[in-house]
Amino acid sequence: MHRFLLTPRWWGINVFVALAIPVCLFMGTWQLGRFEDRVDSHKEASAGRPALEAAAPLESLLPVDKKTSGRLASASGEYAEQLLVPERRLDGRSGFYVLNLLRTDSGKAVPVVRGWLPGPADASKAPAAPTGRVEVTGALQASESSTSKGVHAEGGLPAGQLGVIGAASLVNLVPYGLYDAWLTVQTPADGLTPVPAQAPSNTGLDLKAFQNLGYTGEWFVFAAFVLFMWFRLYRREVETLRDAEAGLLPEAGEAAAATPGATAAATASATASASASASANGSASAAATASAPPAE
């Protein structure tokens, strides 16, 4: 009864199932691993850095990656231009960052967020930066981009304001080199609220993490669906063979039995039509002969 499994059609079905299920399981496991990696990175970021962790020189922590993001970095130099970063939220309130460029001993500058103030960006509310040589310690952060969360990427800001904190957005505003990173001071003065360090990109339980979890479920569902469809096709094939063996499929037999009768009826009909045609032709010939004039 199961010899149908060896037919070319079923060979193709079996090969497809044998390949599809491992692929679906592999992809589902891979997506699950991606989700677990993001959960682990979220736990590491949530744990925070030790309070007594010693600050490292800025250049020793560059470039910024998942391990160095949030680390305490130190740099010395003099504060230069002061800029305001509007539309930044902190603890559910809207406000702005007070940012200064710190020109270091290397000649390059690093953006330093000295703190946050509530309300719309107003230069008159922002306290001036200390003058002279200063030593700054802050949490290291990667440069923002136009797709970073909470940035003002539309442009059109007035002079003295900055929408995205990063070297790419500052390179045309200052005449000196810039580090591709920024610092947020964790112990600000002058009534400023400290800006907490943010988790590095592509880490944490964000939308992408839950997308990985959703893809995991989809791949496992695909594997189950392939197996279900194979079993359904197999069961239907077996039931069809059993019905045929039990004589529960009369359509073929009835059609074969009805064929001789239909042939005989068609033959009789054709014979009657031929006879009627011959009789009509004979009558017409006799009538023509009777009406013809005698030959002289």
Side-chain angles (χ1 to χ4, degrees):
M1 178 179 294
H2 296 86
R3 292 180 181 178
F4 66 86
L5 294 174
L6 301 178
T7 60
R9 172 174 173 266
W10 272 94
W11 265 109
I13 294 175
N14 293 334
V15 169
F16 172 78
V17 171
L19 294 176
I21 291 179
V23 169
C24 291
L25 293 178
F26 171 78
M27 293 300 297
T29 304
W30 178 72
Q31 290 288 352
L32 181 60
R34 297 271 294 177
F35 174 74
E36 291 176 345
D37 290 341
R38 291 181 180 274
V39 171
D40 293 338
S41 64
H42 175 71
K43 290 180 179 179
E44 293 178 0
S46 300
R49 304 288 180 181
L52 299 179
E53 183 181 29
L58 172 63
E59 293 189 353
S60 68
L61 300 177
L62 298 177
V64 184
D65 55 22
K66 294 180 180 179
K67 293 182 178 180
T68 60
S69 179
R71 284 282 305 274
L72 290 179
S74 62
S76 58
E78 295 184 1
Y79 279 123
E81 290 85 349
Q82 179 165 294
L83 301 170
L84 306 182
V85 186
E87 300 180 10
R88 296 303 177 106
R89 301 188 66 83
L90 184 63
D91 296 332
R93 298 184 299 167
S94 179
F96 61 96
Y97 294 167
V98 179
L99 180 147
N100 285 87
L101 293 172
L102 178 68
R103 298 198 64 176
T104 64
D105 299 335
S106 66
K108 299 174 69 175
V110 58
V112 176
V113 174
R114 295 169 45 227
W116 175 90
L117 289 174
D122 188 351
S124 63
K125 296 180 180 180
T131 58
R133 185 174 181 81
V134 293
E135 180 80 19
V136 176
T137 300
L140 183 64
Q141 298 282 267
S143 293
E144 296 178 340
S145 66
S146 59
T147 59
S148 300
K149 184 179 180 180
V151 303
H152 183 95
E154 291 78 9
L157 294 174
Q161 295 189 17
L162 182 70
V164 180
I165 306 175
S169 58
L170 286 166
V171 67
N172 296 324
L173 300 179
V174 295
Y176 38 81
L178 294 160
Y179 287 107
D180 191 19
W182 58 283
L183 302 177
T184 171
V185 178
Q186 299 301 293
T187 56
D190 301 324
L192 297 171
T193 303
V195 177
Q198 299 177 358
S201 59
N202 295 325
T203 61
L205 297 179
D206 53 5
L207 179 60
K208 291 183 179 180
F210 289 101
Q211 283 180 344
N212 292 133
L213 185 60
Y215 293 150
T216 300
E218 288 182 1
W219 282 113
F220 288 154
V221 168
F222 289 159
F225 179 75
V226 170
L227 188 61
F228 167 76
M229 290 303 299
W230 182 91
F231 178 76
R232 184 176 180 182
L233 291 174
Y234 166 80
R235 183 176 179 181
R236 186 175 65 179
E237 194 81 17
V238 170
E239 291 176 350
T240 301
L241 292 176
R242 288 177 178 174
D243 291 345
E245 291 178 357
L248 300 178
L249 300 176
E251 292 80 4
E254 290 180 355
T259 300
T263 303
T267 303
S269 177
T271 303
S273 299
S275 299
S277 178
S279 299
N281 291 337
S283 299
S285 299
T289 304
S291 60
E296 294 182 356

